[in-house]
Amino acid sequence: MTAESSFHPPEPALAPPGPSLVPPSPGVLLITVSASYGAGGSVVAPALAGRLGLPFLQRVTTSEGHLAQPGPCDEQLSMEEVKATPVHRLLAHFTQAMPAGPTQSPPSTHHQDEQLRGRGEAGIYRLLAAGGGVILDRAAAVVLGKDRGFHVRLDSPAERRVAQGAVVEGISEEHARERLRAADKARTAYVRRLYRCDPADPTLYHLVIDSTAVPLDTVIELILVAARTHSAVSQDATAQW
């Protein structure tokens, strides 16, 4: 099955409905979605939030806990995300470290990492304190651990993600391939540098899906069923204790 044949562009029905139209699903409070470029995280995560009537938290610095809005967010790196990645911050650190005067001293790389980690985690913990939501990336599965939330990883071979990313964003496959290289490198660096782990590690997640092998609307349904089942099982286990 090729990416071209398996991917169906999202229909208008995939746009997350307003929170007043869909009541929160009992027991499903927090879902995190980790997605490589072209895996469809920008379509799936906000759609999940809309279906559940929960707040949506985007990658790194944007949409701090606002309710999900209709339509997908972006697959590629935003300018804010580029500036927030450890690779970019490290280059900035080296630039600042160039001699510029006897009284100037650049901030330590460790201090920069702590600031970046704190900024990314603040939104996660605000959402958790407010009762939950859907989080796209931010190493949220690592931050929360498997005992808090339901964690999903969307991935696929690079060439199939290129084809799907091109369709989702309405760009050429050549352009999508360039974005894939940049986004995958930056987002992997974010997790590896700040948390010393690989975002593709399947042990971090409750569910891993090849999201180019089935349509994205099916991916959304699979996650909803799995998250609800996980929540019910967790509640039963807690009740037994």
Side-chain angles (χ1 to χ4, degrees), residues 12-13 25 34 40 61 72 84-86 90 99 105 119 158 175 185 187 212 236:
S25 178
S34 170
T61 57
T85 59
L90 182 60
S105 177
R119 188 176 183 182
H175 197 180
K185 181 177 180 180
R187 289 168 184 156
T212 65
D236 288 345

Side-chain angles (χ1 to χ4, degrees), residues 60-231:
V60 184
T61 57
T62 55
S63 296
E64 293 286 345
H66 296 304
L67 290 175
Q69 296 299 314
C73 51
D74 294 325
E75 284 288 312
Q76 78 270 27
L77 290 166
S78 66
M79 284 306 298
E80 287 182 324
E81 191 175 17
V82 169
K83 292 175 182 178
T85 59
V87 171
H88 185 279
R89 293 287 288 269
L90 182 60
L91 293 175
H93 171 74
F94 287 153
T95 301
Q96 292 171 358
M98 297 294 290
T103 62
Q104 293 193 11
S105 177
S108 69
T109 302
H110 174 73
H111 179 67
Q112 291 186 15
D113 285 356
E114 287 296 318
Q115 284 188 324
L116 178 56
R117 183 162 44 240
R119 188 176 183 182
E121 292 180 7
I124 295 173
Y125 288 122
R126 277 198 298 272
L127 213 61
L128 186 64
V134 178
I135 303 170
L136 179 58
D137 289 330
R138 294 185 178 231
V142 182
V143 173
L144 294 169
K146 279 195 169 178
D147 290 336
R148 291 186 293 184
F150 183 76
H151 309 309
V152 180
R153 172 72 178 177
L154 305 181
D155 209 347
S156 185
E159 282 305 306
R160 285 160 59 178
R161 290 189 286 115
V162 164
Q164 180 157 279
V167 174
V168 169
E169 296 201 85
I171 58 178
S172 69
E173 290 197 5
E174 181 179 359
H175 197 180
R177 190 170 289 106
E178 294 174 359
R179 289 185 173 182
L180 179 145
R181 284 194 291 265
D184 282 0
K185 181 177 180 180
R187 289 168 184 156
T188 298
Y190 181 92
V191 181
R192 284 182 171 171
R193 175 159 180 171
L194 297 185
Y195 299 98
R196 304 294 189 267
C197 62
D198 185 351
D201 179 359
T203 65
L204 296 171
Y205 309 100
H206 298 97
L207 179 65
V208 179
I209 303 177
D210 181 342
S211 53
T212 65
V214 293
L216 292 182
D217 52 356
T218 302
V219 171
I220 293 165
E221 296 301 328
L222 288 171
I223 295 171
L224 287 171
V225 170
R228 286 167 177 150
T229 303
H230 174 265
S231 177

